[in-house]
Amino acid sequence: MVKNNREFRIKFRGVRGSHPVCSKKHLEFGGNTACVEVMANNRLIILDGGTGIINLGSELVRNYISSGTDHQTRKPVEAVILSSHPHLDHIQGLPFFKPAYIKSSNIHIFGLRAKSRDFGQILSETIFSSIFPLELKEMSANISISNINETQVILLYPDRPEPELIRLSNEKEPDVPEGTVVISCMKSHAHPKDGVLVYKISCNGRSLVYSTDKEGYIGGDSKLTNFARNAALLIHDAQFTQEEYTSPVSPKQGYGHSTPEMAIEAAKLANAGQLVLFHHDPGYDDDALKQIEEKAKKALKSAIMAYEGLEIDLMKLKQ
Ligand SMILES: [Zn+2]
Ligand SMILES: [Zn+2]
């Protein structure tokens, strides 16, 4: 993606929920699991590490190699990775994220502490120690892993490479220099078993809210409505159609995912500028997703389906 100072753009790298899928009928929307690349004022932020992060990592390494002639002149990869929750479809790409194997890379990962275990411990035990040949600590990059909760915000200052994690005082927006990227989060319990973090990334007077793996409530979720109010862009879980959600044979209610109708309601209540439906069920092929999109657009003109490669420039969206 093109870099300039006042930038705020995203690219979808993986849009599936549950598990990756690969077939001719899934090519248009893509088969990789959750990952969204965000470029905000020259800072790379990655939402979730599903299999979509693998291609992103390869691209970052190619850019790294072409940025200089040796390790001393090359521009190190700097990335902040925000984890919504440690379910497999959101972390399974992390062991294959190539920048993590380059010594000069600086990778800061944030996630949810659960069941008295730090996020680093969860990540390490879930994927690295048990189903991958390397330990997390054996990766050669500088990797920091921190817990984050809704009383904290991450600040990415324009003149400082390290992110700063600060505690919010009275939930007031922090006073920061222009150009700073501010990342906050909201805990939702509407996803089994340990809940999920909804992230908000704000910069240049606009905000993006990433709300995946979150089931809607009847009448809307007032906590989300407040958190996402006036967001330029809302990315929202819409895994199951209404029919499947309430199917008499195999209802999906309680699985921790929303219907497009719930996502649309969330966008309307929050007055979001644009809605992207996300976390597609792997059982829905391109034709099924097109039909869902057509129906969603009738209910909300700004609703679109996420697909792999979709790029959105938030600086061009209304605030
Ligand atoms: Zn998921
Ligand atoms: Zn999940």
Side-chain angles (χ1 to χ4, degrees), residues 16-19 33-34 48 84-85 87-90 191 212-213 237 239 257 279:
R16 290 279 156 189
S18 306
H19 61 79
T33 62
D48 275 332
S84 62
H85 66 310
H87 283 169
L88 201 54
D89 50 330
H90 299 260
H191 192 68
T212 190
D213 294 62
D237 187 312
Q239 179 156 352
H257 297 289
H279 203 272

Side-chain angles (χ1 to χ4, degrees), residues 23-308:
S23 90
K24 281 182 184 168
K25 290 184 171 181
H26 292 81
L27 289 177
E28 281 184 53
F29 289 89
N32 282 303
T33 62
C35 180
V36 183
E37 173 189 1
V38 181
M39 284 303 301
N41 294 351
N42 286 343
R43 307 301 291 259
L44 170 63
I45 302 154
I46 302 168
L47 291 158
D48 275 332
T51 59
I53 203 171
I54 300 170
N55 283 338
L56 168 59
S58 303
E59 256 183 61
L60 292 169
V61 169
R62 280 198 292 276
N63 292 344
Y64 165 74
I65 290 169
S66 60
S67 70
T69 49
D70 55 42
H71 69 275
Q72 281 171 327
T73 55
R74 287 176 179 146
K75 192 175 177 299
V77 174
E78 305 274 346
V80 169
I81 300 178
L82 306 174
S83 168
S84 62
H85 66 310
H87 283 169
L88 201 54
D89 50 330
H90 299 260
I91 58 171
Q92 67 198 137
L94 287 174
F96 306 99
F97 185 57
K98 286 185 183 153
Y101 298 92
I102 297 174
K103 231 177 173 173
S104 63
S105 300
N106 295 303
I107 300 167
H108 305 274
I109 309 176
F110 295 88
L112 194 60
R113 181 179 155 85
K115 291 197 185 91
S116 310
R117 291 191 305 161
D118 288 334
F119 182 64
Q121 194 186 347
I122 294 171
L123 205 55
S124 180
E125 289 170 2
T126 311
I127 199 155
F128 288 92
S129 302
S130 47
I131 56 169
F132 191 67
L134 286 182
E135 296 285 337
L136 184 54
K137 57 178 182 290
E138 289 178 279
M139 294 175 122
S140 33
N142 305 303
I143 300 176
S144 72
I145 305 178
S146 312
N147 302 323
I148 183 168
N149 63 52
E150 53 195 359
T151 67
Q152 297 169 308
V153 290
I154 304 164
L155 301 176
L156 305 176
Y157 292 108
D159 54 351
R160 223 184 291 170
E162 297 283 308
E164 190 184 350
L165 189 63
I166 65 158
R167 191 160 289 279
L168 273 177
S169 51
N170 305 324
E171 293 183 17
K172 265 190 2 212
E173 288 288 315
D175 198 12
V176 291
E178 209 189 318
T180 304
V181 181
V182 180
I183 300 166
S184 52
C185 64
M186 171 201 124
K187 172 90 186 271
S188 165
H189 296 278
H191 192 68
K193 293 178 176 166
D194 299 317
V196 68
L197 285 178
V198 175
Y199 285 99
K200 178 160 63 182
I201 302 172
S202 306
C203 81
N204 307 332
R206 285 165 176 78
S207 60
L208 154 72
V209 172
Y210 176 72
S211 178
T212 190
D213 294 62
K214 188 189 170 306
E215 192 159 345
Y217 297 134
I218 292 170
D221 177 345
S222 55
K223 190 175 175 186
L224 178 67
T225 302
N226 286 329
F227 185 73
R229 195 175 303 284
N230 298 328
L233 183 64
L234 172 64
I235 301 169
H236 200 289
D237 187 312
Q239 179 156 352
F240 300 120
T241 60
Q242 186 67 36
E243 294 70 32
E244 199 162 357
Y245 187 78
T246 53
S247 153
V249 184
S250 171
K252 300 298 189 293
Q253 202 172 49
Y255 279 35
H257 297 289
S258 289
T259 62
E261 287 79 2
M262 288 169 180
I264 288 166
E265 184 177 43
K268 283 182 176 171
L269 287 170
N271 190 37
Q274 180 158 26
L275 170 67
V276 181
L277 303 174
F278 186 71
H279 203 272
H280 309 320
D281 191 86
Y284 297 171
D285 63 13
D286 290 334
D287 287 345
L289 292 179
K290 278 182 210 162
Q291 279 177 27
I292 294 170
E293 183 171 39
E294 209 180 296
K295 191 176 166 197
K297 274 185 179 302
K298 283 182 191 150
L300 182 70
K301 241 167 67 186
S302 78
I304 53 170
M305 296 299 265
Y307 62 86
E308 246 174 79

